[in-house]
Amino acid sequence: MKNKKISGKTSAKTLAKTLRYAKHRRLQIALAALFAVISTAATLYIPILIGKAIDCILESGVDFSSLSSYFLQIAVLTGAAALCQWLMNVSINSAAYGIVENIRKDAMHKIQRLPISHIDTHPHGDIVSRVTADVEQVCEGLVIGALQFFTGAVTIVGTLLIMLSINWIITLAVVVITPVSLVVANVIAKKTYSMFSESTRIRGEQTALIDEAIGEQKTVQALGTEESFKERFDTLNEDLRKSSQVAVFASSLVNPATRFVNSLVYAAVALTGALVAIAPGGSAITAGILSSLLAYANQYTKPFNEISGVIAELQNAIACASRVFEFLEEKEEESDASLPSLETAKGNIRFDGVSFSYEPERPLIENFCLDVKQGEHIAIVGPTGAGKSTLINLLIRFYDVTGGSLLVDGTNIAEVTRKSLRGNYGMVLQDTWLRQGTVRDNIALGNPLAGDEEIREAAKKARADHFIRKLSDGYDTVIGPGGASLSQGQAQLICIARVILQNPKILILDEATSSIDTRTEMKISAAMDEMMEGKTSFIVAHRLSTVQNADKILVMNEGSIVESGKHEELLQKGGFYSKLYMSQFSI
């Protein structure tokens, strides 16, 4: 019982949130409702005309001159009902896909405002599933299904009113039996919500697994784990089949159950009408009126069948909408719009007693202090998990410090906008990022106002011009998302060219040459030195051969600086750095 109450509250809240999006499409929804009412009214009046035509035939025989007016009215009403039905569909589809557009727009904006910690800790495929498949279900289930529900309700109410105006006894028989159908539908609907929620959750996991398998296909094949992925997929696929089958089966019980009750309604109308007709004084109900009542009995019960079919879609849509709004309500990065912007930085950076941990119970960096002067080249080395990339994440404010402060030119970076802060950095990270577009466009991301000659010059300095000109269309070659058509080394070179074109005062090179072979690394070392000249640079590296010329080398272990100094000084100390160095170059 407790779960049912929670589900009911969740459904009500989800519907309320969807209605907030629907208010921007009030006109289309109102028009759809108006056309639905007109179409239903026209359809409901047709049985009256048919009944009158039957009575006319019984009284005067088949006289086409007398029947022609009824035929004409029926034809006009049928045409009007069809036209209004078409206009209703146009209006509701316009509203539905407008709502979907707004939800997806908000979802995309949400992704841009989420902290990196959320993206790091949630499967990307699940997020994609919520923004695409789940939102589509909201459109088809809640919006379109809600109109079908409304149309059915109008038909039921209209039919009852007309039947009541004809004979209240027959109407009473219908009303007495109707609650049975409603109770059956309500009981089944409550049970199906949790079932659809479970199938939606599993579908999100499946999408995440597929996304992982496609994105890391080379790794999967290289490690020979195809069978493992297949087994995981088969398990999820089987779970999805079972949960979906149970949910659909449970929801589909509504239709046959309501059909049975509806058959009872039709039989009650026929039996009651016949008894009233043959009773003393029953001449008020003619054969034509009785046929109209039977037609109304069919029209009255038909919406229950349609509504029962919509219930499954509504339950599934509510479950999907809950996932969508759960994502839209995730905590965002705190707004910094009221903060001042950081002007062009000179490059003086200070870590003042900085502490940080990804999880409160597992401290990583504690009381970290470091002063970096303008133009200095700082290398950060250490074993995996020492905290090297974490320092970079703090510097860029991908994560905020949990203690102490981090200053750029004496300004606490927490007191300026993130956009202005990051605009002063040029970054080449270990994971390259290229978008779908031309090579030129990808390099120009560093400076959108740069001309073709500037782009080529940046590529030359990065030693990328040679291979770019060999591509099918040179700088106009279109590359896939993530640089799928390039080697990892080529993609890295384009990222380096992008930073050279940007020409920032502070550089962050996080394993920037990790995907480049030794020969290429030697070729671009001069270009890298030229790029870093006069700029404050942070170089994270595992290969110690790349950081020997740094002004200062920070040796990190377990989140703390254990040694610092120049290359030769650290070797002479024979400490932790010396051991790292010798482990890489010993024979």
Side-chain angles (χ1 to χ4, degrees):
M1 291 297 294
K2 186 176 181 180
N3 290 336
K4 289 182 180 179
K5 289 181 180 179
I6 292 173
S7 296
K9 290 179 181 179
T10 302
S11 299
K13 290 179 180 179
T14 301
L15 288 172
K17 293 169 187 175
T18 306
L19 288 176
R20 287 202 292 268
Y21 280 93
K23 70 180 182 180
H24 300 294
R25 301 287 172 171
R26 288 189 296 262
L27 179 59
Q28 291 99 320
I29 294 174
L31 286 174
L34 175 62
F35 291 132
V37 171
I38 295 174
S39 175
T40 301
T43 303
L44 290 178
Y45 191 67
I46 290 175
I48 293 178
L49 296 176
I50 293 174
K52 289 181 178 180
I54 292 173
D55 285 339
C56 179
I57 292 172
L58 293 176
E59 292 175 3
S60 308
V62 180
D63 182 1
F64 287 104
S65 61
S66 302
L67 295 174
S68 59
S69 62
Y70 294 121
F71 292 158
L72 179 60
Q73 291 179 66
I74 291 172
V76 171
L77 289 174
T78 302
L83 177 61
C84 289
Q85 185 76 22
W86 179 76
L87 292 173
M88 178 193 71
N89 288 332
V90 171
S91 300
I92 197 60
N93 276 289
S94 174
Y97 288 104
I99 291 171
V100 166
E101 178 187 17
N102 291 335
I103 293 178
R104 283 189 175 142
K105 186 183 297 183
D106 285 352
M108 192 62 193
H109 291 170
K110 184 74 176 185
I111 292 173
Q112 307 306 315
R113 298 192 298 267
L114 283 174
I116 294 296
S117 58
H118 183 279
I119 304 297
D120 285 346
T121 55
H122 288 75
H124 297 174
D126 183 63
I127 297 175
V128 172
S129 178
R130 295 183 190 223
V131 178
T132 55
D134 289 347
V135 173
E136 195 70 27
Q137 286 295 328
V138 173
C139 164
E140 295 179 359
L142 282 181
V143 183
I144 299 176
L147 180 66
Q148 293 176 330
F149 194 94
F150 170 77
T151 304
V154 170
T155 301
I156 291 169
V157 173
T159 303
L160 281 176
L161 291 175
I162 293 175
M163 293 178 70
L164 187 62
S165 67
I166 295 174
N167 189 285
W168 68 272
I169 297 177
I170 298 175
T171 307
L172 181 62
V174 171
V175 172
V176 168
I177 300 176
T178 298
V180 178
S181 180
L182 297 177
V183 170
V184 170
N186 187 47
V187 170
I188 297 175
K190 284 183 177 180
K191 293 184 179 295
T192 56
Y193 176 78
S194 59
M195 297 177 184
F196 278 114
S197 296
E198 179 66 11
S199 64
T200 302
R201 181 193 65 79
I202 296 174
R203 185 170 62 244
E205 289 186 16
Q206 187 184 60
T207 304
L209 180 63
I210 294 171
D211 178 72
E212 181 184 357
I214 295 174
E216 304 297 333
Q217 185 181 24
K218 292 180 181 178
T219 304
V220 171
Q221 292 182 352
L223 298 176
T225 57
E226 295 95 333
E227 290 302 321
S228 174
F229 264 89
K230 287 179 183 178
E231 290 175 4
R232 290 169 60 191
F233 179 81
D234 289 343
T235 300
L236 283 175
N237 210 27
E238 179 64 16
D239 291 344
L240 181 59
R241 183 192 66 81
K242 289 179 180 179
S243 62
S244 299
Q245 185 174 323
V246 170
V248 173
F249 175 77
S251 63
S252 64
L253 291 176
V254 177
N255 195 284
T258 54
R259 281 183 179 276
F260 174 75
V261 177
N262 295 341
S263 298
L264 294 180
V265 171
Y266 187 85
V269 170
L271 180 60
T272 308
L275 292 174
V276 171
I278 63 175
S283 57
I285 295 183
T286 63
I289 293 176
L290 183 56
S291 68
S292 296
L293 287 171
L294 290 172
Y296 283 126
N298 269 333
Q299 288 191 340
Y300 173 78
T301 57
K302 185 179 178 182
F304 284 101
N305 295 330
E306 293 177 348
I307 290 173
S308 66
V310 169
I311 285 177
E313 293 183 13
L314 288 175
Q315 293 296 322
N316 191 20
I318 290 173
C320 292
S322 296
R323 280 168 46 83
V324 173
F325 290 123
E326 180 185 17
F327 172 72
L328 291 175
E329 291 166 1
E330 288 287 349
K331 186 177 180 180
E332 301 177 0
E333 283 186 329
E334 294 183 7
S335 175
D336 57 6
S338 60
L339 297 178
S341 297
L342 179 67
E343 302 301 328
T344 303
K346 296 178 181 178
N348 297 299
I349 297 173
R350 182 182 179 189
F351 290 81
D352 188 7
V354 168
S355 297
F356 174 76
S357 63
Y358 292 103
E359 300 175 8
E361 65 276 7
R362 297 177 62 185
L364 178 60
I365 296 177
E366 295 182 298
N367 196 31
F368 178 81
C369 296
L370 174 67
D371 278 311
V372 181
K373 304 301 181 183
Q374 177 183 350
E376 283 189 333
H377 300 164
I378 307 299
I380 307 173
V381 301
T384 301
K388 303 185 298 298
S389 294
T390 300
L391 276 184
I392 300 303
N393 288 335
L394 296 178
L395 191 64
I396 306 171
R397 276 199 75 189
F398 283 164
Y399 290 85
D400 285 321
V401 299
T402 55
S405 58
L406 205 165
L407 302 94
V408 174
D409 293 342
T411 301
N412 191 328
I413 64 172
E415 297 175 357
V416 296
T417 62
R418 296 181 184 86
K419 183 176 180 180
S420 64
L421 172 69
R422 293 165 185 168
N424 282 280
Y425 296 129
M427 295 176 287
V428 181
L429 305 180
Q430 182 176 2
D431 296 324
T432 59
W433 183 82
L434 298 175
R435 69 178 186 181
Q436 185 166 3
T438 64
V439 173
R440 177 183 286 101
D441 291 339
N442 275 279
I443 296 176
L445 285 173
N447 183 2
L449 300 179
D452 289 348
E453 190 58 38
E454 293 174 287
I455 292 173
R456 290 193 182 91
E457 187 62 27
K460 289 178 181 177
K461 290 181 179 179
R463 305 302 190 267
D465 178 71
H466 179 68
F467 85 80
I468 292 174
R469 286 189 288 106
K470 286 187 175 182
L471 297 176
S472 57
D473 295 313
Y475 284 84
D476 293 319
T477 301
V478 176
I479 56 179
S485 57
L486 302 175
S487 70
Q488 189 67 19
Q490 290 173 332
Q492 193 75 286
L493 290 173
I494 290 178
C495 290
I496 293 172
R498 178 192 297 164
V499 174
I500 292 175
L501 182 65
Q502 181 186 355
N503 194 29
K505 294 296 183 180
I506 305 173
L507 295 176
I508 296 174
L509 309 175
D510 188 352
E511 295 290 345
T513 59
S514 62
S515 300
I516 299 173
D517 60 82
T518 304
R519 183 179 178 184
T520 304
E521 180 183 341
M522 294 176 62
K523 287 184 178 180
I524 70 169
S525 59
M528 295 282 285
D529 290 340
E530 181 181 345
M531 179 179 69
M532 292 189 294
E533 186 175 349
K535 297 179 175 62
T536 303
S537 303
F538 290 85
I539 309 152
V540 177
H542 280 107
R543 288 189 289 185
L544 302 186
S545 61
T546 63
V547 298
Q548 294 181 14
N549 296 325
D551 295 319
K552 183 183 291 184
I553 298 175
L554 304 179
V555 187
M556 296 193 68
N557 190 30
E558 297 181 355
S560 301
I561 297 178
V562 295
E563 291 180 330
S564 65
K566 288 183 174 291
H567 173 68
E568 294 297 336
E569 296 174 358
L570 294 174
L571 285 181
Q572 290 176 4
K573 287 182 179 179
F576 193 74
Y577 177 82
S578 178
K579 293 178 181 179
L580 283 176
Y581 185 83
M582 296 307 295
S583 67
Q584 290 189 12
F585 294 97
S586 61
I587 300 177

